[in-house]
Amino acid sequence: MLNYQLDQTFAALADPTRRAMVERLVTGPATVSELAAPLPMSLPAVMLHLKVLEKSGLVQSEKAGRVRTCRIEPRMLSQAENWVADRRAMWERSLDRLGALLDSPENET
Amino acid sequence: MLNYQLDQTFAALADPTRRAMVERLVTGPATVSELAAPLPMSLPAVMLHLKVLEKSGLVQSEKAGRVRTCRIEPRMLSQAENWVADRRAMWERSLDRLGALLDSPENET
DNA sequence: CTGATAGTTAAGCATATACTTAAGTATAAA
DNA sequence: TTTATACTTAAGTATATGCTTAACTATCAG
């Protein structure tokens, strides 16, 4: 019920800047500067977004020398995907039950 | 790139109260009071969450007499699911390309 | 060593979120 | 027609979010 990880993952994906960063990272790893280059904001602002992505588990990064390289962590992507897919499946099953109920003999005139 | 609808859908799903409401609604329609009953907060607070869900397009509601009935709108659920699924697919393709590159003859010793 | 590069931290600010309680407003039941 | 139900609105508060600029810290290059 209380899934803190999901809170953070969905919250991370709710921001267009962070989705843009994810879009970049699904094509391969990138440095902080490379992530920031196309974004209309300061580098510290990008750092904050990166921190949110890392805390959610969607992104991991490591620093070598003075360069920090960021990469996607696909497990969290799957977790978010699965939560939504599961709920959509539940909804479809409940529709099926409704259909079966309406088709059942007890509902004939 | 700028998908306002997705912002709102992911933001809506980022809150555990609202996910609980969605979980309830995928099993079938419910009134505001039914949605509120299991939740540890006041009715006006639930109304605010409902408003967020409606604005995102995940939930629709209509009032008959003094009762407002809420139901899931599965299209938005699909849209969120698809965004994540598509990005995961992109990530996998980029992994494949990397693999192909490492396997290619140019990389032999 | 000296300077440029890549990132980081700090401080501050404006707006948005997630609630609360109190006071309504329709509708339906007795 | 009084009273209860089901929601709705208003007003207020506390915390979180999304930025900014300025100042700082490590590298690495010449």
Side-chain angles (χ1 to χ4, degrees):
Chain A
M1 274 274 125
L2 296 88
N3 196 328
Y4 206 65
Q5 194 84 272
L6 264 188
D7 287 18
Q8 301 193 309
T9 303
F10 282 128
L13 294 176
D15 185 282
T17 298
R18 288 191 294 261
R19 283 204 307 280
M21 291 167 78
V22 168
E23 298 239 32
R24 169 61 188 81
L25 289 173
V26 293
T27 71
T31 69
V32 173
S33 305
E34 283 167 355
L35 280 179
L39 299 175
M41 68 188 63
S42 68
L43 198 62
V46 174
M47 290 289 298
L48 292 179
H49 284 299
L50 179 60
K51 220 165 254 174
V52 172
L53 285 167
E54 290 209 60
K55 211 176 157 202
S56 78
L58 282 167
V59 167
Q60 283 198 346
S61 75
E62 70 182 301
K63 199 165 177 180
R66 57 185 166 168
V67 176
R68 178 173 295 280
T69 303
C70 310
R71 63 192 70 250
I72 273 288
E73 182 51 67
R75 267 174 299 185
M76 282 303 130
L77 226 42
S78 298
Q79 194 174 315
E81 188 183 342
N82 289 339
W83 190 91
V84 182
D86 291 351
R87 270 68 210 170
R88 216 166 54 74
M90 286 180 197
W91 176 79
E92 268 159 27
R93 277 199 297 278
S94 89
L95 265 203
D96 290 347
R97 276 198 300 279
L98 181 63
L101 206 65
L102 293 176
D103 290 347
S104 73
E106 300 91 81
N107 290 75
E108 298 291 321
T109 44
Chain B
M1 276 276 126
L2 296 87
N3 196 330
Y4 205 66
Q5 194 84 273
L6 264 188
D7 287 17
Q8 300 194 310
T9 303
F10 282 127
L13 294 176
D15 186 282
T17 298
R18 288 190 294 262
R19 281 202 308 279
M21 293 167 76
V22 168
E23 298 239 32
R24 168 60 188 83
L25 289 174
V26 292
T27 71
T31 68
V32 173
S33 304
E34 284 168 353
L35 280 179
L39 299 174
M41 67 188 63
S42 67
L43 198 61
V46 174
M47 290 288 299
L48 291 180
H49 284 299
L50 179 59
K51 218 164 254 173
V52 172
L53 285 168
E54 291 209 61
K55 212 175 158 205
S56 78
L58 281 167
V59 167
Q60 282 197 348
S61 75
E62 69 183 303
K63 199 165 179 178
R66 57 186 165 166
V67 177
R68 178 172 295 279
T69 303
C70 311
R71 63 191 72 250
I72 273 288
E73 182 51 67
R75 267 174 300 185
M76 281 305 130
L77 227 41
S78 298
Q79 194 174 314
E81 188 183 342
N82 289 340
W83 190 90
V84 182
D86 290 351
R87 267 69 211 169
R88 216 167 54 76
M90 286 180 198
W91 176 78
E92 268 160 28
R93 277 199 295 279
S94 90
L95 265 203
D96 290 349
R97 275 198 300 278
L98 181 62
L101 207 65
L102 294 176
D103 291 347
S104 72
E106 301 91 80
N107 289 75
E108 299 291 322
T109 45

